[in-house]
Amino acid sequence: MVTQPLFRRLLGSAIDDLPPVLREAHDSPIDQCWRGMAQVEANMNPLARLLCRMMRLPAAGTGIPVTVRFERRGTAEHWHRDFAGRRYRSTLVDRDGLMVERMGMATNIFRVSVQDGALRLDLIGFRFLGLPLPSGLRPHCHARETEDDGRYVFDVPVDLWPFGRIIRYTGRMERSDD
């Protein structure tokens, strides 16, 4: 039995409302590589920077080369991200209609939806070392993916009390399978 792609399982027929480039990226059973450029805004607070560094999130800058590899293995997806040499990976699965992303010591729980032709990933839960954090103490993220001129566009803002915005990374990519 062939397993449907993760985002097809999460979104059902709503995935068909996404632009072609996002359907190509997220409604495919094959591994893919995407490359482009990113901009990263980071909070200058030393503790906020340390948290981002510990999570291996990208460093601040403009014109940052970015590569994202999507690997499909059974019912899971593995995302390998590289922002100018700063690499991090995560494993994504569906659980009870939600997307669960494991990134090292952290687990993000997202509600995934399609809104106005964009893919929305809204963080609704967060675990650190397996322990759930209450809303006031966990990161808040309302990521969005869209298409512009045939390119995959991402916008990932992350806020955390008491720092406010700790990081926001945006960019554009094109498929570039090796």
Side-chain angles (χ1 to χ4, degrees), residues 100-112:
V100 178
E101 177 186 35
R102 296 194 56 114
M103 290 177 50
M105 299 178 285
T107 301
N108 302 303
I109 303 167
F110 289 95
R111 178 175 295 114
V112 180

Side-chain angles (χ1 to χ4, degrees), residues 22-136:
L22 294 181
R23 287 196 317 272
E24 179 183 359
H26 296 303
D27 195 22
S28 172
I30 62 172
D31 297 349
Q32 298 177 11
C33 183
W34 293 75
R35 297 182 196 280
M37 299 299 278
Q39 298 75 43
V40 181
E41 303 163 14
N43 189 307
M44 296 308 291
N45 178 287
L47 187 53
R49 291 173 63 121
L50 177 63
L51 289 170
C52 288
R53 183 84 176 156
M54 287 173 50
M55 295 299 298
R56 304 187 72 146
L57 295 174
T62 59
I64 299 169
V66 60
T67 302
V68 180
R69 282 190 357 258
F70 300 124
E71 294 180 354
R72 278 68 185 218
R73 300 292 179 267
T75 60
E77 287 193 11
H78 304 281
W79 289 18
H80 303 266
R81 302 165 185 92
D82 183 330
F83 287 80
R86 186 169 295 179
R87 296 177 177 100
Y88 68 103
R89 67 167 276 178
S90 60
T91 299
L92 294 77
V93 297
D94 66 295
R95 185 178 306 140
D96 301 324
L98 300 172
M99 185 179 76
V100 178
E101 177 186 35
R102 296 194 56 114
M103 290 177 50
M105 299 178 285
T107 301
N108 302 303
I109 303 167
F110 289 95
R111 178 175 295 114
V112 180
S113 62
V114 176
Q115 186 176 62
D116 299 324
L119 181 63
R120 296 269 321 233
L121 298 102
D122 296 301
L123 186 66
I124 62 166
F126 181 83
R127 294 177 177 265
F128 187 74
L129 296 174
L131 301 172
L133 295 183
S135 179

